[in-house]
Amino acid sequence: TINAMAVALQSPLGPLLDPTGGRSDLESGTLRVTHSGAFADDPLRLLRAVRMQAAFGLRMTPQTRALLRRDLPLIERVSSERVRDEFFQILSLPSAVAALREMVESDMMACILPSDPTRADAALAWLVVLEGQLGSWLSPERSALAAGEGPLLRALRPFEERLIADWQAPLAGNRPRGLLLKLAALLGSPEDARVAANALKLASREQGHVRVTWQAIDASVWSRVRRLDRLAMHRYCRAFGAGGVDGAVLAAARPGAAAGSMNMAVQLL
């Protein structure tokens, strides 16, 4: 309903046209569909509803939530490209975790990403660390979110300027690399990364980057938990390149990571 309002663009502005009560819903923080067939008319609205709820701090009405669950299978009708673009708008939110948690709880995430549902809580906890401490570095709207001080942020401070430049720059199209870091945290293996990147119709450079990022996370170097020698660092950087940078950050940010992972990540950066 909040998208179903209009005014005539004149000076002064014309009267508000609000046939579905959007103004009242906006004032009360309510997210409500205009009619019971809204999601069926365009199933991409299923994703958009989740994004708008998180972006504007709204609450779905019980009826809207019930319709969302009822019509969830219809999302298969939407082209992969439209799903990808809406999903990356969700990832670009300063605090995407709220929207992603809604997607998990409504079973929508399983329709988008081929990730193991049993590790959804672990994936969201990973993102909480990333957004809580590096949010202003990752968000396209950097002014929208201040990073919280924590061990990860303190460890990466010497690399702040370079990491921000890298994460704000797109690998292809207009999708910043930092959003691929968030995407990688939602996945569970190099194979998940390969399948998800293909399902989302990412550009070939993006697909390769997400896959290599997960290969770096899975690298044997993280099982050493000791100071790396120059040869080991050289081999890691040569094997994984930019994906190794993001893999090192994710390995350091992972809740429950082995002691010493933070120091090893700093060495590799």
Side-chain angles (χ1 to χ4, degrees):
T1 60
I2 65 173
N3 272 351
M5 297 185 286
V7 294
L9 296 179
Q10 60 190 42
S11 184
L13 291 176
L16 175 68
L17 302 178
D18 182 15
T20 61
R23 180 172 182 173
S24 174
D25 284 345
L26 187 60
E27 291 173 345
S28 65
T30 300
L31 186 66
R32 184 194 316 272
V33 291
T34 56
H35 63 287
S36 62
F39 293 132
D41 288 347
D42 181 5
L44 188 66
R45 289 173 178 157
L46 295 159
L47 270 168
R48 193 169 296 148
V50 171
R51 175 172 61 83
M52 293 177 68
Q53 178 175 248
F56 302 119
L58 306 175
R59 298 180 305 280
M60 286 190 207
T61 64
Q63 180 194 26
T64 297
R65 191 177 299 279
L67 291 171
L68 183 145
R69 289 182 177 275
R70 184 197 72 181
D71 292 339
L72 188 57
L74 301 180
I75 203 165
E76 295 182 359
R77 298 180 184 175
V78 185
S79 71
S80 299
E81 290 80 3
R82 292 185 72 208
V83 170
R84 174 200 63 205
D85 292 347
E86 188 66 38
F87 185 62
F88 270 84
Q89 285 195 60
I90 289 174
L91 290 179
S92 72
L93 295 173
S95 181
V97 170
L100 296 169
R101 181 171 286 112
E102 178 73 39
M103 291 178 65
V104 169
E105 292 175 353
S106 66
D107 297 325
M108 188 183 299
M109 187 69 80
C111 299
I112 308 299
L113 295 179
S115 54
D116 183 354
T118 63
R119 65 171 302 277
D121 288 343
L124 293 177
W126 208 348
L127 274 176
V128 166
V129 175
L130 287 174
E131 291 190 338
Q133 297 190 44
L134 303 178
S136 64
W137 298 13
L138 294 168
S139 174
E141 300 294 335
R142 292 195 59 221
S143 61
L145 188 68
E149 192 68 26
L152 180 64
L153 181 63
R154 288 193 294 270
L156 298 183
R157 279 288 188 202
F159 315 102
E160 178 177 4
E161 185 175 344
R162 175 166 63 88
L163 288 175
I164 288 174
D166 288 345
W167 288 338
Q168 296 298 314
L171 286 178
N174 60 354
R175 292 181 288 276
R177 184 174 125 190
L179 300 187
L180 297 178
L181 187 76
K182 287 187 176 185
L183 173 63
L186 293 172
L187 306 173
S189 69
E191 178 60 15
D192 278 358
R194 183 190 68 78
V195 175
N198 184 62
L200 290 170
K201 300 296 187 207
L202 298 185
S204 58
R205 286 190 66 197
E206 295 173 312
Q207 291 193 34
H209 181 79
V210 174
R211 187 174 63 253
V212 171
T213 295
W214 253 102
Q215 290 171 350
I217 295 169
D218 268 6
S220 60
V221 68
W222 300 108
S223 65
R224 301 183 181 192
V225 194
R226 60 175 175 79
R227 187 166 184 82
L228 299 173
D229 57 36
R230 296 174 74 79
L231 179 59
M233 288 188 284
H234 172 74
R235 287 174 174 168
Y236 178 92
C237 294
R238 183 180 63 184
F240 305 119
V245 172
D246 290 0
V249 171
L250 284 169
R254 187 183 232 164
S261 294
M262 193 87 67
N263 290 335
M264 291 173 63
V266 169
Q267 292 176 62
L268 291 168
L269 293 175

